């Protein structure tokens, strides 16, 4: 039986580390097979040596995160704990040792895992980046955040949002309403990202003034996207010709991010996804970068990761 006592600067700082939720302390006990007693600004830990060491490592990393302005909350706290319990603390330490914080207005956005951090680094450093992976990994949200960051810093003059409307067969003219109303169901995740960091009023103003432009794939032929940040979402539902057309719109002073999930293709069965074909064709092209997410990178409810993992297993 090993024992250890951790002392913190103040009771308030200590309680913030576990969200002031006793259930999080119980989760630590269950995952690491330790017994915890919280008194004031101290934490007493007892259990086998490995569990005690892992618990010390967890609170050390939580303190580093606190100093950097990032404290995992909710499902993120459980993910932190799971990585410690499975011996992946090195990944967390790497994530926290060189923090990336994007400040947009009064909102601070930080990557929630190492995969998100690598994806952001690629977009910051390069002009054409593909983010491929399952739903819930944050790929679309992160790309939109970097687009807004580039816009507000003056690196680009506008943001162009595109997404194939495959359910409508691209026949948007037959749908009721103006162009924005027709595309709203398809671009909702991008709007949600804007609303979260800017608020709905400022986000709506950017759209109304054309600074954030909605550009259906079918309407982009012949254009050159200069001094802009172009984002193509749900790219697995593009055809080969649509993907090639979009990628060749890239102009001077622009960035382009393409995101999609190759397990969610809605095209006719005989038609190959433009995203799948681009991955095969462009993987070795200098200046084009691909980042692959998997179920371990999901940042929604912890069950989402387990569901994706279960569906990825080959059928018996």
């Amino acid at each position: 039986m090993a024992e250890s006592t951790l002392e913190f600067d103040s009771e308030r700082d200590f309680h913030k580390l576990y969200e002031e939720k006793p259930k999080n302390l119980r989760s630590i006990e269950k995952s690491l097979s330790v017994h915890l007693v919280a008194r004031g600004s101290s934490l007493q830990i007892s259990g086998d040596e490995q569990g005690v060491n892992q618990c010390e490592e967890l609170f050390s990393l939580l303190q580093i995160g606190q100093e950097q302005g990032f404290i995992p909350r909710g499902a993120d706290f459980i993910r932190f704990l799971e990585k410690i319990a499975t011996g992946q603390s090195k990944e967390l330490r790497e994530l926290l040792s060189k923090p990336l914080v994007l400040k947009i207005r009064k909102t601070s956005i930080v990557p929630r895992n190492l995969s998100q951090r690598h994806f952001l680094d690629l977009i910051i450093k390069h002009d054409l980046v593909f983010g491929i992976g399952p739903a819930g990994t944050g790929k679309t949200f992160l790309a939109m955040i970097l687009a807004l960051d580039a816009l507000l810093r003056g690196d680009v003059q506008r943001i162009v949002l595109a997404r194939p409307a495959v359910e409508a067969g691209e026949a948007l003219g037959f749908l009721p309403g103006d162009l924005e109303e027709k595309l709203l169901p398809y671009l909702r995740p991008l709007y949600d990202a804007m609303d979260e960091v800017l608020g709905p009023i400022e986000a709506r103003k950017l759209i109304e003034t054309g600074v954030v432009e909605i550009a259906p794939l079918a309407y982009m032929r012949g254009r050159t996207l200069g001094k802009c940040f172009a984002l193509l979402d749900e790219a697995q539902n593009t055809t080969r010709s649509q993907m090639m057309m979009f990628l060749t719109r890239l102009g001077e002073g622009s960035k382009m991010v393409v995101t999609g999930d190759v397990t969610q293709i809605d095209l006719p069965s005989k038609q190959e996804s433009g995203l799948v074909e681009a991955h095969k064709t462009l993987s070795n092209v200098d200046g084009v970068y691909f980042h692959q997410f998997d179920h371990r990178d999901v940042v929604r409810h912890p069950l989402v990761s387990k569901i994706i993992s279960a569906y990825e297993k080959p059928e018996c």
Side-chain angles (χ1 to χ4, degrees), residues 144-174:
M144 191 67 209
I145 293 302
L146 278 182
L148 291 170
D149 183 59
L151 177 69
L152 296 175
R153 285 190 291 105
D155 294 342
V156 299
Q157 294 174 352
R158 70 189 192 281
I159 297 172
V160 176
L161 307 178
R163 182 174 176 177
V166 67
E167 296 88 344
E170 295 294 343
L172 295 170
F174 293 99

Side-chain angles (χ1 to χ4, degrees), residues 12-223:
R12 179 173 176 77
D13 285 342
F14 168 40
H15 292 330
K16 278 185 176 180
L17 295 179
Y18 64 93
E19 298 184 82
E20 302 182 80
K21 294 180 179 179
K23 71 175 183 178
N24 283 342
L25 294 181
R26 304 291 82 80
S27 294
I28 295 172
E29 289 181 320
K30 183 178 179 179
S31 295
L32 305 182
S33 299
V34 294
H35 177 64
L36 304 179
V37 178
R39 287 200 179 98
S41 61
S42 68
L43 177 67
Q44 296 175 6
I45 312 166
S46 59
D48 62 60
E49 186 173 356
Q50 181 181 354
V52 171
N53 290 339
Q54 287 177 324
C55 191
E56 290 178 336
E57 177 81 350
L58 172 64
F59 278 93
S60 172
L61 289 169
L62 290 173
Q63 282 186 293
I64 293 172
Q66 188 179 65
E67 292 165 3
Q68 305 290 0
F70 172 53
I71 301 176
R73 304 184 185 282
D76 281 340
F77 183 91
I78 300 302
R79 275 185 281 270
F80 252 60
L81 177 56
E82 287 176 349
K83 287 190 179 294
I84 293 291
T86 54
Q88 300 179 65
S89 60
K90 183 179 179 181
E91 176 185 329
L92 296 177
R93 196 166 288 280
E94 184 179 345
L95 177 66
L96 296 172
S97 62
K98 297 178 181 178
L100 174 62
V101 181
L102 297 171
K103 293 187 177 180
I104 301 178
R105 298 291 190 255
K106 297 180 180 180
T107 304
S108 294
I109 304 295
V110 296
R112 294 163 68 178
N113 54 48
L114 203 54
S115 187
Q116 285 195 348
R117 171 61 188 267
H118 290 163
F119 183 51
L120 288 171
D121 283 339
L122 282 177
I123 299 173
I124 291 169
K125 295 175 183 176
H126 306 290
D127 292 338
L128 178 54
V129 176
F130 287 77
I132 302 174
T137 50
K139 54 190 183 297
T140 301
F141 177 80
L142 293 173
M144 191 67 209
I145 293 302
L146 278 182
L148 291 170
D149 183 59
L151 177 69
L152 296 175
R153 285 190 291 105
D155 294 342
V156 299
Q157 294 174 352
R158 70 189 192 281
I159 297 172
V160 176
L161 307 178
R163 182 174 176 177
V166 67
E167 296 88 344
E170 295 294 343
L172 295 170
F174 293 99
L175 294 175
D178 59 22
L179 182 59
E180 183 187 341
E181 290 171 335
K182 292 174 182 180
L183 280 177
L184 182 59
Y186 305 105
L187 296 171
R188 188 72 261 175
L190 305 176
Y191 280 52
D192 289 344
M194 286 194 293
D195 288 351
E196 183 168 332
V197 296
L198 297 178
I201 295 176
E202 186 171 359
R204 174 62 54 183
K205 193 175 296 183
L206 289 176
I207 294 167
E208 290 174 350
T209 57
V211 175
V212 174
E213 179 187 351
I214 296 140
L217 279 176
Y219 296 5
M220 291 187 66
R221 294 189 183 279
R223 297 186 58 185

